[in-house]
């Protein structure tokens, strides 16, 4: 195809090519004699876009983890909820959320413009990046809603869940998000103005989701059979550990986009951000495995998986501020904490959280955010933690942020769930719950052919 | 010896087991079945096509008991399995003409 | 390792390094004092390659969707077919397809050189890009064949399928592909010369595959038990919805590569192309869910999943031409259409398409292509649609393309299936179909240990 | 949001922004009037990091393949082993492995510094890349350990496995790795100094893992029921082919990172490296399918999947040195070889390797490495093989490397397994094996609800 | 009362059900079984090793019927299940010494 | 005719089958069951909560045999299934009042 090839060279110029191709699908570009280089703006677009794709893919991970750790009779419902979180979440963030979160703000409290993608103007590199940034933020928003899905699984009406998902992505997340991240578009959210640091969202995304999840699990109540009359918890086994395990790996994979992509810049820091992310996940896994082993006698898989996620959630706030050893410390702390928290919530609070969402996202998100105030290394990001400078100021700010987010997310969550309960009802009937939501809410089962029986 | 067979709701098994064990009836075999009776089934819709499901998930439990324990067994199962709504199932028993423990070969 | 580190700095130059490493695995490069930048050509290679990887990964998504929506007794056969599509497809595209599609053309009808990778010359940046471009095109070709797999699932002889897969990737796809995309290598396919626009292949890849799938489903006939004697369709339930759901998420993820990668350039447009892709998938999901809910009473999962894919297929033609709201419109239209089309094909045409491939890829591909003529926004790509300029010319060209591709793909498909039928026979025997293709065609079952019974 | 947008432009400078954002999550950067370009160093970081993510994701692929090809009663154990490989592997490589592999060396034999990430100094582009390089190497190390998991599956004590995993990533892999790849950090490993070429690790990673796997399978002995008293092998069916199939697709996807990422540079060669990788996998698949078909009468799925992996393993050594046709040859040879090797190991050696790890990674890794000496094309990498220059020198060096790695990995493997056996015992009891490791080693089953029975 | 048990092909269940329902026999319990009889099994090949599968998937259906409905039940099952090829299975019946409905406790 | 039913360990099925086939008893139906008897169960721990599993996986095998083959059948099953540890199960038999082959309708 030598002729063809020389043709390729001839068609090098983009402009010429575009005319030639008359709207065809792709455009070949070759380096001319004088070298052309990739602009940093376009590099940032490429990087941010790749990261956004990875974060979007995390949706699959959340689905599989939730699905695997619950019973097969609700698997289809869980799938629907997670697709919905992304579908509806993106739409809501498009219409309302982004504006509230990143619009021109009032007193660092709330954004007020940029609704309905209204910031899109005429074509320009700046618009190209803005759109990419918007896309990246939209996939983050969907994540927050998805966390709630896990804690209310197996017993919540699908209609109720839709409304909750809308409220989380459309209001609860973006309003609070503005306080910590409004500065990304030149505003000054009141929390970030105080110095609150949460690089990729241990608190802003995960804890927020986790505390709404807590409100949800409390509002909707435990699954039938979860607690004995004497409040002793019973085990309701997840139906598919390999599925949950695949979900954990997908989340881990996607988390590199979540954390390293939060630079929204193709700069050199992405390498150690990703390394920190990886190390913390590993440390979380090992710590949780050992904790379970010591505490319950055997290294149980579902808790170990929660340990990975705990480490990943924990390092999210500080991935750009921690040294690798700091990341390992955070991961290990979260790995231990998640096991303790799951047991505490299950047996002491008697709140039924089928997948451990409250512990993983709420508790470990908070711990990771506090950890920034302790472990942030001057060699990495711009913050220095207590262990390096003996100063608890940063820790105090972190604590404030953690408390504020808890109050907001849990409070707003409780209100939302109560409102939804009175509007459409939160919970399916006893008979529906026993039959499973797949048949009663969606009209067909998730598995067919397989003999699936639950004998208790 | 008698063979007692009952068809029950899956979610009642724990209660039935509890009742039986309380009466020191430990020998028990449980099978998953699909059954129809007086209880109606339900319909599924898959890709726009409706499908009637008239076989419901039930359990078949089977006990080999001594003649004198027959009534205990039946009443234990009934107590454990009864919800007084359609679908509770039936219970029947038969004569058995010989039973042996495989491990020892002894006649029971 | 400070010594080591300084060594690292010393070995900065690529050339020196390569000699030093004597063929070793990797080469460390560091920024010298005078900065070195990434050339646009290499950036394009990186981007196009990443996109190609993502499109390759879609193969996993197709497998899972098809597998999940069919019965367990054929799961292994479906896996084999999809691996084969990629394996054989790549080989065929290597030997014949690429030449027919992108070789120097005759009257815009067919390419005539570039077979057997013959365009590869001596090392050069241009060759590097050409190879990457070739790789990207090869994964596209495999996609077209895979679509057919779904509609003929559960009843087609494996041998027959191999021949079909060869014909689709080796002939049907590349010949028609040339008409619309030959210009990418400096030719002028006759359709693109008329102004036909199909950026990433709603028609060129998806509709083409969908119409061949229609021919296939008609030729091979419905599965045993699909239709009652009175032609009333019966439900043959898919065996694994979570599996299909994972497939949908993987496809969604990969689709960002499919669409945004079709620039084959790391430029700024990839951001909004990806955003459009995402929004259309979301809109498709929501629209399909509502349509199913209204039409059949409950939000059923398998149709909602088809809705996501419908939106993604629909936006593929215009992702670079649509505004975000245009993308949402296209997605919503396709989401409704896919439900209607599936019911129509199932109950009116009485064509048995187990996974909805014809509706998703054929119908929504066509609608999306037509949509370019209506919704293309002057603010984005180079085309302006009817709703912006009141001119139906572009729509007419789009319609022409859609019709031409239908005629070609359906016609060639029918011929191919008839030929294959007379050569090796299309369909397995009744007994084999009841036993399942896994045992009869491949000699062992896909699941073991699980008690799997189909009682009707 | 026009105001917001202009704010965006104002905040272009990274430095300014960082101050402004006070530790907030992300930083928007826009092209200033004078264009800013992406440095090659940062491009290398982006590329290497993306590749590292992909390689990390391969862990999911390994898990699924191993899980799918074994019985359901051990699925949770397999999941735990694979999470552990990554978690513990990364930690060990952090503490010891990297230093042994890439530290300043003694006589080309072993690295002696760089332990505990000690090479990390103050912030600099060079540090940024070093960390990324480190991360990339750490995910490679985890891969080596994971290969062993497959061959000892379903019968090995979890505690024993932990120790083995530690030894492989902490000692066996990095020591030998230094011989072939120490040069990447400016050392001169003795094998690479002789000219041994293994670009991405057919031998260094895969064969090494495969030979340790052989030692392991021999040491731990066959599964109960695998062999009849007369040594005739019996089939122990894998429980989930679609799961294994997804694993294969994920591995294929990740392999693009494994091979093309091994440049650790965003240069033009990554395109053809990826193409070669893809083609070899395809050829391996086709060759294995045909071989199985001819040999055993039907195209069986699990062997065909092994064929894909065989092709991918085979091309790993030479992906940067082969022409596309060379890659196809290597893939085809490995595809045939893997079927023959699996049968040979199973029926002649009577070594029970449930997933074919020894054949896929050990045998095909060796073949692929030898193939470089035969097929390396002068048009691509820097080496010329026998078929191009009639000179067997390179082949001789390759053979030496293959033999040395076999001796080292198998020998060290045998020693390690014996030591572990005497310390904690390698194998679970007969009763535990029959019950399954999920219950006995981890305390709960992997699947619940599903009726799973193995009747033989 | 009688207990009727039949081993049938899975794919014949819809017909058997139809025949039974047509005769107003609604009480029915279906179990998945693996069976061997006169029909030969098949061989699988997995990773180069041949495996003989001589237990085939069948269904066990069980009905408790009144004495006078016994023949109806048997003929319904036979009509529904018969394909006249090997593997159609067998049908047998036994006496039952007592049946009760769990919901109500009434003797049947 | 007699109906022989045994509850055995799943892993003993191949031996039981072998013994039966050796005695030319080819008709056999196998069901998966969960059973309890003298053998104790085990405990699982899931997410920190302990769960007692007292129903173990067993198989129920069922043979319809002629009167004169009854002892062969029983001894074949016993030989194949016996491991002499708890959990081996039991075997029982009953009278049958009629058997027919569905394919042909012939009385057996
Ligand atoms: N005559 C029968 N023969 C066999 N099984 C029966 C019969 N009647 C009921 N069953 C079993 O009992 C289950 C419950 O029976 P059903 O009639 O619905 O309960 P109820 O008697 O409380 O209305 C059925 O699903 C079936 O498995
Ligand atoms: N003697 C028997 N005891 C128990 N089950 C039997 C017996 N004979 C047949 N079956 C059951 O019936 C099924 C079909 O029997 P088979 O002999 O293959 O049919 P056919 O009598 O039409 O040749 C078997 O798979 C088995 O489940
Ligand atoms: N009385 C019984 N009724 C019904 N099934 C029984 C009875 N006794 C034992 N079984 C079945 O046999 C299996 C093994 O019984 P078990 O008592 O544990 O064996 P062993 O008699 O060797 O101690 C049980 O799991 C159960 O399925």
């Amino acid at each position: 195809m030598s002729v063809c090839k020389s043709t390729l060279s001839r068609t090098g110029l983009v402009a010429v090519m575009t005319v030639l191709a008359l709207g065809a699908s792709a455009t070949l570009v070759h380096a001319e004699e004088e070298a052309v280089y990739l602009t940093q703006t376009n590099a940032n677009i490429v990087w941010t876009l790749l990261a956004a794709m990875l974060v979007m893919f995390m949706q699959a991970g959340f689905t599989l983890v939730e699905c695997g750790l619950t019973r097969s009779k609700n698997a289809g419902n869980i799938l629907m909820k997670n697709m919905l979180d992304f579908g509806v979440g993106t739409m809501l963030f498009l219409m309302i959320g982004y504006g509230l979160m990143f619009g021109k703000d009032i007193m660092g409290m709330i954004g007020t413009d940029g609704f309905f993608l209204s910031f899109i103007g005429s074509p320009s590199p700046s618009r190209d990046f803005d759109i990419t940034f918007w896309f990246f933020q939209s996939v983050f928003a969907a994540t927050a809603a998805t966390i709630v899905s896990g804690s209310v699984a197996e017993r919540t009406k699908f209609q109720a869940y839709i409304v909750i998902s809308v409220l989380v992505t459309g209001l609860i997340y973006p309003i609070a998000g503005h306080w910590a991240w409004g500065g990304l578009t030149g505003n000054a959210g009141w929390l970030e103005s105080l110095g609150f640091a949460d690089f990729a969202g241990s608190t802003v995304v995960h804890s927020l989701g986790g505390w709404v999840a807590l409100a949800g699990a409390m509002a909707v109540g435990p699954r039938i059979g979860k607690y004995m009359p004497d409040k002793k918890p019973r085990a309701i086994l997840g139906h598919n550990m390999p599925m949950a395990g695949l979900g954990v790996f997908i989340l881990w994979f996607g988390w590199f986009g979540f954390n390293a992509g939060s630079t929204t810049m193709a700069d050199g820091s992405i390498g150690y951000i990703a390394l920190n992310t990886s190390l913390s996940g590993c440390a979380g896994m090992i710590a949780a495995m050992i904790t379970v082993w010591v505490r319950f006698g055997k290294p149980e898989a579902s808790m170990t998986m929660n340990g990975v996620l705990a480490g990943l959630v924990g390092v999210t706030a500080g991935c750009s501020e921690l040294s690798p050893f700091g990341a390992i410390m955070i991961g290990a702390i979260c790995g231990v904490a998640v096991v303790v928290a799951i047991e505490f919530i299950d047996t002491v609070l008697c709140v039924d959280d089928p997948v451990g969402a409250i512990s993983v996202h709420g508790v470990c998100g908070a711990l990771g955010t506090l950890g920034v105030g302790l472990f942030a290394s001057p060699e990495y990001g711009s913050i220095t933690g207590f262990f390096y400078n003996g100063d608890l100021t940063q820790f105090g700010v972190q604590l404030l942020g953690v408390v504020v987010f808890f109050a907001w997310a849990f409070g707003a969550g409780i209100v939302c769930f109560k409102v939804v309960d009175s509007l459409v009802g939160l919970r399916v009937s006893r008979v529906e719950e026993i039959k499973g939501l797949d048949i009663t809410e969606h009209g067909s089962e998730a598995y067919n052919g397989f003999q699936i029986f639950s004998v208790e | 010896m008698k063979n007692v067979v009952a068809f029950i709701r899956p979610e009642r098994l724990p209660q039935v087991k509890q009742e039986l064990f309380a009466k020191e009836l430990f020998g028990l075999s449980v099978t998953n079945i699909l059954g129809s009776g007086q209880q109606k089934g339900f319909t599924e819709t898959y890709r726009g096509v409706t499908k009637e499901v008239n076989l419901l998930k039930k359990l078949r439990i089977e006990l080999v008991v001594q003649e004198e324990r027959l009534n205990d067994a039946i009443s234990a199962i009934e107590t454990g399995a009864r919800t007084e709504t359609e679908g509770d199932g039936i219970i029947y028993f038969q004569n058995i003409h010989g039973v042996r423990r495989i491990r020892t070969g002894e006649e029971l």
Side-chain angles (χ1 to χ4, degrees), chain B residues 7 33 35-39 58 85-90:
Chain B
F7 302 99
I33 60 153
S36 78
Q38 300 190 342
Q39 188 187 18
K58 299 283 170 183
T85 52
E86 292 216 323
D88 276 357
I90 61 171

Side-chain angles (χ1 to χ4, degrees), chain A residues 300-366:
Chain A
E300 195 252 325
S302 84
M303 289 283 227
T304 309
M305 292 191 269
N306 279 145
V308 174
L309 301 182
L312 293 170
V313 168
V315 81
T316 296
C319 50
S320 68
E321 304 286 346
L322 300 165
S323 74
F325 290 101
I328 291 174
M329 286 306 301
I330 297 268
I333 291 168
C334 289
V336 174
V338 77
V339 176
V340 175
I342 285 174
E343 201 186 355
F344 181 79
I345 288 170
D346 200 38
T347 61
V348 179
L349 297 191
C350 290
V351 169
D352 179 16
D353 177 9
V355 305
I358 304 164
S359 307
V360 168
H361 299 279
V363 174
C364 294

Side-chain angles (χ1 to χ4, degrees), chain B residues 33-51:
Chain B
I33 60 153
L34 295 170
S36 78
Q38 300 190 342
Q39 188 187 18
K40 278 161 293 292
F42 57 93
T43 54
E44 289 195 340
T45 324
Y46 178 71
R47 302 182 74 69
V49 181
T50 301
K51 189 185 164 83

Side-chain angles (χ1 to χ4, degrees), chain A residues 223-352:
Chain A
R223 288 166 293 172
I224 295 171
K226 175 62 199 174
Y227 290 100
M228 313 273 260
D230 64 353
K231 288 274 173 196
K232 240 187 101 232
R234 298 176 61 230
I236 298 182
L237 280 67
H239 84 283
N240 201 328
M241 289 306 124
M243 179 186 275
L246 174 59
V248 169
F249 279 119
I250 289 178
L251 286 170
W252 206 336
F253 177 55
W255 226 291
F256 295 123
F258 200 94
N259 285 359
S262 284
T263 58
T264 66
M265 266 200 312
D267 71 359
S269 68
I270 60 177
Y272 72 75
I273 294 176
L275 175 64
N276 282 345
T277 303
S278 183
L279 287 175
S280 187
C282 291
M285 188 225 119
I286 296 172
M289 185 180 83
I290 294 173
T291 310
V292 178
W293 208 331
V294 169
R295 183 83 187 78
F296 306 115
K298 289 197 173 164
E300 195 252 325
S302 84
M303 289 283 227
T304 309
M305 292 191 269
N306 279 145
V308 174
L309 301 182
L312 293 170
V313 168
V315 81
T316 296
C319 50
S320 68
E321 304 286 346
L322 300 165
S323 74
F325 290 101
I328 291 174
M329 286 306 301
I330 297 268
I333 291 168
C334 289
V336 174
V338 77
V339 176
V340 175
I342 285 174
E343 201 186 355
F344 181 79
I345 288 170
D346 200 38
T347 61
V348 179
L349 297 191
C350 290
V351 169
D352 179 16

Side-chain angles (χ1 to χ4, degrees), chain B residues 13-107:
Chain B
L13 182 64
Q15 285 80 352
V16 170
K17 244 166 48 184
Q18 210 177 305
E19 296 289 334
L20 287 169
F21 290 5
K23 296 207 167 131
E24 304 210 318
L25 290 162
F26 296 111
L28 169 72
S29 294
V30 182
T31 319
N32 301 130
I33 60 153
L34 295 170
S36 78
Q38 300 190 342
Q39 188 187 18
K40 278 161 293 292
F42 57 93
T43 54
E44 289 195 340
T45 324
Y46 178 71
R47 302 182 74 69
V49 181
T50 301
K51 189 185 164 83
E52 225 178 294
V53 177
N54 44 28
L55 291 180
L56 301 175
K57 290 180 180 178
K58 299 283 170 183
L59 297 182
R60 178 186 197 269
I61 64 176
E62 180 174 356
L63 287 85
V64 175
V65 295
Q66 281 149 307
E67 218 80 27
E68 60 269 28
R69 304 302 313 272
L70 180 63
N71 285 336
D72 283 357
I74 290 177
S75 73
I77 294 169
E78 279 192 342
T79 316
R82 186 174 292 163
T83 67
E84 294 189 350
T85 52
E86 292 216 323
D88 276 357
I90 61 171
I91 189 167
Y92 72 80
F93 60 90
Q94 295 172 307
N95 287 340
I96 277 184
H97 305 98
V99 196
R100 306 166 67 140
R101 186 171 300 285
I102 293 175
R103 173 160 50 90
T104 55
E106 72 188 297
E107 296 274 345

